[in-house]
Amino acid sequence: MGVAGTGKTTVGPLLAELLGVPYAEGDDFHPAANIAKMTAGTPLTDEDRWPWLDAIGEWARTRDGLGGVVSSSALKRGYRDRLRSAAPGLVFVHLTGDRALIEERMSHRQGHFMPTALLDSQFATLQPLQPDEAGVAVDVTGTPADIARRAAEALRPATDPAATGPAPAGTEG
């Protein structure tokens, strides 16, 4: 989880590989209307997000006991609660970073529908993980491989079946 440009799409597959689980790209769950709105620079409303979050939650539910990594901004507690209602075992990885670094990285992306102009609305919407939410915060400085390694290490207690029981339904990256 995290604002646009934190590396969810880049770090997610690397994290999944380190954990030995499949990866699902959260953007692939967006209806076409959502992509069109974001491409036009229009922030999504909660009403726009509900079907998207439900689809991600369903994917995570199918991974219950198997593990998986799926990317999603999941910026608000309510969005994460909705995902957890479908897949209660979700463990979130909140990719965090300095706004200037994230904007710099976004400015070099090619072929992505999310314009840098929406970054301020993403930061304004962001509600970081709360202490009662299963998850970890991971700083996005360094290479994608560095970030993925830090995330895997931070998740180790949550993803070690010997330590915590069954594998989480999905890991939100």
Side-chain angles (χ1 to χ4, degrees), residues 135-173:
V136 296
V138 177
D139 185 77
V140 297
T141 55
T143 68
D146 293 337
I147 299 162
R149 277 192 298 274
R150 285 196 307 270
E153 183 62 33
L155 285 171
R156 193 167 317 282
T159 59
D160 181 356
T164 61
T171 301
E172 188 74 21

Side-chain angles (χ1 to χ4, degrees), residues 11-135:
V11 173
L14 297 172
L15 177 59
E17 183 177 339
L18 288 172
L19 298 176
V21 298
Y23 171 74
E25 170 53 54
D27 287 341
D28 293 344
F29 294 91
H30 272 298
N34 285 8
I35 303 275
K37 280 183 90 167
M38 290 183 285
T39 300
T42 304
L44 298 180
T45 66
D46 286 350
E47 298 308 313
D48 296 326
R49 286 186 183 93
W50 299 140
W52 173 62
L53 291 167
D54 291 343
I56 292 171
E58 177 59 21
W59 184 88
R61 188 196 60 72
T62 67
R63 301 303 308 160
D64 187 28
L66 303 171
V69 174
V70 59
S71 60
S72 166
S73 53
L75 297 177
K76 290 184 180 180
R77 169 72 184 248
Y79 304 162
R80 297 186 298 272
D81 289 345
R82 190 163 183 129
L83 291 167
R84 279 189 295 267
S85 71
L90 279 176
V91 177
F92 291 86
V93 175
H94 181 184
L95 298 178
T96 65
D98 174 76
R99 189 200 180 288
L101 172 64
I102 294 167
E103 182 175 24
E104 169 68 18
R105 288 181 179 175
M106 282 183 77
S107 71
H108 296 315
R109 292 196 306 191
Q110 295 181 358
H112 195 277
F113 59 83
M114 177 67 83
T116 305
L118 290 181
L119 189 56
D120 287 333
S121 73
Q122 293 250 307
F123 272 105
T125 301
L126 176 64
Q127 296 172 346
L129 286 173
Q130 298 301 300
D132 64 329
E133 294 185 88

